[in-house]
Amino acid sequence: MKPLKIEQRGCLLLLTITNPPVNVLSIGAGVVSALHETVVNAVGDPSVAVIAIRGDGRDFCAGADIKDFENAPDEVDRLRELFSVVDACPKPVVAMLHGNVLGGGLELALAAHFRIAAPDARLGFPEVMLGLLPGGGGTQRLPRRVGVARALEMMLGGKPVAAGQAADMGLVDAVLEGEAALAWVVARAESSLADRATTGPAAADSAALDVWRAKIAQRPSLGTARESIVACVEAATRLDLKQGLALERELFTELLLSEASRGLRHSFFAERKVGRLPGSEAKFETPTIASVAVIGAGTMGSGIVLALLNAQLPVTLIELNENALSAGVGRIAKAIDRDVAKGRLTNEKAAARKALLTTESTVDAAAQADLVIEAVFEDIEVKRSVFAQLDRIAKPGAILASNTSTLDVDRIADATQRPHQVVGLHFFSPANIMRLVEVVRGAATSAQTLAGALALVRKIGKVGVIAGNCDGFIGNRIFEEYLRQAYWLLEEGALPAQVDAALEAWGMAMGPLRTMDLAGQDIGWSIRKRRAVTQPNRPYSKIPDLICEMGRFGQKTGAGYYRYPDGRTPESDPEIDELVIRHSAQIGVERRVISDEEIVERCVFAMVNEGARILSEGIAHRSFDIDVIYVNGYGFPAERGGPMFYADRVGHAHIIERMNDFRSRREGWAWEPAPLIEWLVEHGETFADLKG
Ligand code: COA
């Protein structure tokens, strides 16, 4: 298919970008050169009086093709040249917008002389989310058109505006579609372009710049993209267009090559690839899921119900205990009411959501559900008995899912006569907020069941990652190695606040000990007690047990590694610091000064090493599956792309060198390098080079 459809209708030259699925301005696929050449030719063609550019399918254009300039920033110049040819065209050029009009798509529209939008159009600059700035003139043309304050809001907030809003701010000239839109375009044939005044500076607005500078200084994120956007917009108020574009080009190139943007771009593409079943597409029909039953109205169960209701799915909530049921329903109603109070939901929508919920007190009520999610107490026998009951009553094709976070999905499946229909759906808490779901494939889980489970996860707006069945699956298995190092660092000389601060300064949303305080330490304690029976020789630090024995389970008991005088804000507790120091003496470890660098390296490389084992064992199919889990479920900085991407960037030879150093020290046994990392070093490859 040609990337540009060219039609002449009288004096109108109508150009339609046809580059599915989202019409990116691809250089490789020839979109940019076709547009460039056609506009240049039209200038010399006397039969053309006006040019219109639109997009085929659902969207006008979702932007530049990010893959085009991954390692070649100069390629963006091809886009810039196209935009200046459009801008300088002596005949009127009209952008006819609909659907997504993002990034380079909006820059193309801004370079045109007129813009009209269909009511469904959404116009935005999401580059900041990729650690970039609009590098094709957006930072210069947008403030000139809509003013500094609105331009900053659009480029730094990253959220698109609707067609009506765009018209109100003068970003589009009219909201029109169909024949009326075409008639409007044809009428532009008579327009004079002589009085366009877009080359001088934008009107100054230092107050708006200061507001954003203060916001950015408060919380660093997204690399330095936000600072660079402010610098470009400020320049737009001082410099002429040509000088402004030169500065924008320079800062864009810097960002494109930055580690932060590389990490964010990796996260963007990884999230889009992650929910796909490797190698089994289109061999069967993905089951349709129109109704769901959830068993268990505890914190997880009610959070899952909320996530389903928010996606407008009818849900039957089943809970045998009357008090637990009314508490769960109360939590659900309260969360929906909170959305209304915050203006996120209208009263009508809230009522409609609540009306989708039915409550029942017997498992038999799950008989008609397309998919059942069990969220009862985390005990294998309790879960097996629920699945045995489900097996008797669920309809033939139903998907039977367990929300276990650590238990063996195969043993749960064994309680049924249809293990191929059983899958794990490990939601993260709070389930209505956290985007991640590990979709756990048991030994017997069929590809069809997996596809159905993944489709449900997508339908409720979450990111589903396929994980093999093992203790802890992908996320918690890696987290255990991360925590193990954090505890040993305490034994060897660090204190909780230092461990957390070092990792937070490196970018983790929350340090490991604060995370444990938030999650509740009793869960880990009960897992350790279970393991003490099944794996008595498994070594681990006794510090978390000592803290649990004091009844300090974290925030929910008002104290854990920290104390929480206001219930939320952690404060270092001398009692815990003393406990840690005393414990080192008791186990005969001489405490030493530990650097922040050592804390970060040990905690992060422990994740990487376990991640490599998980990959070799096929528990994760691809390294980016692990990255998506860590960025979306464990607060790993998106700017670093995830532990496996980070390892690729740091270099495996360096990681092996550091691991060998750690291996020669206390508890060195834990630093046996995963054979896969050694293999990568030997062959000069990266995790990303491995085929899933
Ligand atoms: N460059 C390259 N590929 C892009 C892209 C871009 N700017 N935007 C989207 N794609 C690809 C996706 O990777 C996906 O490819 P795949 O099908 O091979 O996995 C495909 O287009 C569809 O995108 P997806 O996000 O799955 O569809 P959606 O309907 O959920 O969302 C958008 C559509 C446009 C809202 C979303 O893709 C998006 O936000 N894109 C990024 C826009 C952007 O940042 N533009 C500025 C770039 S500098």
Side-chain angles (χ1 to χ4, degrees):
M1 196 193 333
K2 287 206 170 136
L4 191 68
K5 194 164 129 199
I6 306 169
E7 296 164 82
Q8 185 146 3
R9 299 188 185 178
C11 68
L12 165 66
L13 187 70
L14 186 57
L15 310 179
T16 309
I17 305 168
T18 44
N19 187 22
V22 290
N23 289 333
V24 287
L25 292 176
S26 166
I27 295 167
V31 181
V32 174
S33 52
L35 270 167
H36 189 136
E37 200 184 303
T38 313
V39 173
V40 168
N41 289 345
V43 173
D45 182 345
S47 68
V48 175
V50 58
I51 302 163
I53 305 174
R54 64 180 183 178
D56 191 30
R58 197 192 61 178
D59 302 305
F60 172 73
C61 167
D65 186 338
I66 306 165
K67 292 188 193 108
D68 273 341
F69 35 83
E70 210 41 46
N71 288 308
D74 290 351
E75 283 291 278
V76 189
D77 286 341
R78 313 263 299 269
L79 275 171
R80 296 185 180 110
E81 283 154 19
L82 166 66
F83 300 155
S84 34
V85 161
V86 169
D87 191 341
C89 180
K91 296 179 181 177
V93 181
V94 187
M96 299 178 72
L97 313 174
H98 80 287
N100 284 304
V101 183
L102 303 177
L106 184 49
E107 289 178 311
L108 172 63
L110 280 164
H113 311 130
F114 301 99
R115 286 149 295 280
I116 53 173
D120 75 341
R122 302 163 71 246
L123 292 74
F125 280 118
E127 282 87 342
V128 71
M129 309 307 290
L130 301 172
L132 295 173
L133 54 77
T139 66
Q140 301 305 299
R141 291 194 176 96
L142 186 65
R144 285 174 165 86
R145 180 131 323 264
V146 302
V148 164
R150 289 201 180 95
L152 288 170
E153 179 69 45
M154 280 184 74
M155 290 190 282
L156 293 166
K159 292 215 175 70
V161 297
Q165 223 178 329
D168 290 345
M169 65 168 85
L171 181 53
V172 299
D173 301 295
V175 178
L176 290 167
E177 61 184 333
E179 286 307 313
L182 282 170
W184 193 94
V185 172
V186 171
R188 298 290 82 69
E190 308 299 324
S191 303
S192 154
L193 302 178
D195 61 347
R196 289 182 78 224
T198 49
T199 51
D205 184 348
S206 54
L209 288 163
D210 287 345
V211 167
W212 277 101
R213 282 192 187 112
K215 275 194 207 177
I216 293 167
Q218 242 173 30
R219 219 164 58 92
S221 73
L222 303 168
T224 53
R226 298 183 308 163
E227 287 85 342
S228 297
I229 289 173
V230 172
C232 286
V233 174
E234 191 273 331
T237 65
R238 272 187 301 114
L239 307 177
D240 69 20
L241 184 64
K242 195 165 162 225
Q243 291 168 318
L245 290 175
L247 176 76
E248 180 195 85
R249 183 182 185 283
E250 185 189 322
L251 295 185
F252 176 85
T253 305
E254 251 173 43
L255 292 176
L256 190 73
L257 298 174
S258 68
E259 283 305 311
S261 178
R262 284 181 200 276
L264 290 161
R265 280 164 6 226
H266 170 75
S267 294
F268 175 84
F269 286 113
E271 259 186 40
R272 275 151 184 82
K273 287 185 282 189
V274 87
R276 290 192 195 140
L277 220 46
S280 58
E281 272 162 63
K283 290 200 187 115
F284 51 80
E285 222 170 283
T286 302
T288 313
I289 292 150
S291 64
V292 183
V294 175
I295 304 177
T299 313
M300 280 318 282
S302 43
I304 294 169
V305 169
L306 262 171
L308 296 162
L309 295 177
N310 290 347
Q312 284 141 49
L313 272 162
V315 185
T316 307
L317 173 59
I318 300 168
E319 169 63 63
L320 279 54
N321 178 311
E322 215 176 292
N323 290 337
L325 182 60
S326 62
V329 171
R331 264 196 300 274
I332 293 164
K334 205 167 144 196
I336 295 178
D337 293 343
R338 204 169 37 235
D339 278 350
V340 175
K342 294 216 160 153
R344 291 195 286 250
L345 205 62
T346 61
N347 279 318
E348 294 73 44
K349 283 197 173 143
R353 248 167 233 196
K354 287 180 188 170
L356 287 169
L357 178 65
T358 316
T359 58
E360 295 286 351
S361 58
T362 71
V363 171
D364 290 356
Q368 291 314 313
D370 296 322
L371 187 144
V372 185
I373 304 173
E374 162 280 307
V376 302
F377 186 63
E378 188 79 350
D379 176 285
I380 189 77
E381 291 314 324
V382 178
K383 291 197 189 262
R384 277 172 59 84
S385 109
V386 170
F387 273 75
Q389 287 179 69
L390 281 175
D391 191 27
R392 278 194 293 279
I393 58 99
K395 68 182 186 187
I399 295 175
L400 308 180
S402 170
N403 174 51
T404 179
S405 54
T406 44
L407 298 177
D408 182 347
V409 171
D410 291 336
R411 284 206 60 213
I412 296 174
D414 270 356
T416 72
Q417 303 296 313
R418 37 174 142 175
H420 59 288
Q421 284 168 238
V422 176
V423 66
L425 276 182
H426 177 208
F427 285 82
F428 284 65
S429 185
N432 52 320
I433 310 275
M434 297 291 284
R435 288 185 73 216
L436 178 68
V437 181
E438 277 181 307
V439 180
V440 185
R441 179 179 211 160
T445 308
S446 70
Q448 194 161 7
T449 299
L450 207 53
L454 284 165
L456 173 85
V457 171
R458 236 186 339 266
K459 195 166 183 171
I460 63 176
K462 298 199 183 290
V463 186
V465 183
I466 304 166
N469 182 30
C470 68
D471 197 349
F473 312 132
I474 298 176
N476 283 342
R477 186 169 143 184
I478 292 178
F479 199 69
E480 192 171 330
E481 295 308 318
Y482 171 71
L483 271 181
R484 189 200 298 281
Q485 291 302 323
Y487 295 147
W488 282 343
L489 286 158
L490 295 181
E491 290 185 349
E492 289 165 34
L495 291 172
Q498 189 200 355
V499 172
D500 283 342
L503 285 154
E504 285 166 18
W506 184 79
M508 295 298 293
M510 196 182 273
L513 305 167
R514 277 182 64 200
T515 304
M516 291 316 288
D517 270 1
L518 183 67
Q521 306 218 34
D522 44 337
I523 303 165
W525 199 22
S526 70
I527 294 173
R528 288 193 297 277
K529 283 181 189 160
R530 172 160 57 83
R531 288 221 187 106
V533 179
T534 55
Q535 304 168 44
N537 298 324
R538 194 180 173 114
Y540 71 97
S541 164
K542 299 287 179 287
I543 288 181
D545 288 357
L546 294 174
I547 290 180
C548 286
E549 281 161 19
M550 296 164 80
R552 296 176 67 128
F553 294 160
Q555 274 193 36
K556 64 178 164 192
T557 56
Y561 285 98
Y562 300 89
R563 55 187 180 199
Y564 295 86
D566 65 0
R568 287 180 55 140
T569 320
E571 228 176 48
S572 286
D573 189 340
E575 202 183 337
I576 293 299
D577 291 355
E578 277 163 28
L579 177 147
V580 166
I581 294 165
R582 208 169 44 239
H583 178 69
S584 302
Q586 275 162 0
I587 59 171
V589 176
E590 195 175 325
R591 293 178 69 79
R592 62 185 169 88
V593 174
I594 293 188
S595 70
D596 289 356
E597 190 188 1
E598 179 177 344
I599 293 173
V600 170
E601 282 193 339
R602 280 176 53 179
C603 290
V604 176
F605 293 163
M607 285 191 209
V608 173
N609 207 26
E610 192 63 12
R613 291 184 204 286
I614 278 177
L615 260 183
S616 313
E617 290 167 30
I619 296 294
H621 291 294
R622 302 147 305 197
S623 58
F624 61 76
D625 289 336
I626 299 173
D627 290 336
V628 170
I629 287 181
Y630 262 76
V631 169
N632 287 280
Y634 293 84
F636 196 96
E639 291 86 343
R640 297 194 189 268
M644 312 311 271
F645 181 80
Y646 176 70
D648 279 352
R649 299 295 305 168
V650 169
H652 295 280
H654 171 72
I655 294 176
I656 291 274
E657 191 190 308
R658 299 304 300 130
M659 290 204 288
N660 282 336
D661 176 26
F662 302 144
R663 210 170 161 188
S664 65
R665 304 200 227 153
R666 178 174 178 261
E667 304 287 9
W669 61 269
W671 288 106
E672 181 82 32
L676 176 58
I677 302 186
E678 287 177 323
W679 186 92
L680 292 178
V681 173
E682 208 177 299
H683 292 82
E685 297 211 10
T686 62
F687 288 128
D689 295 327
L690 303 171
K691 295 277 167 280

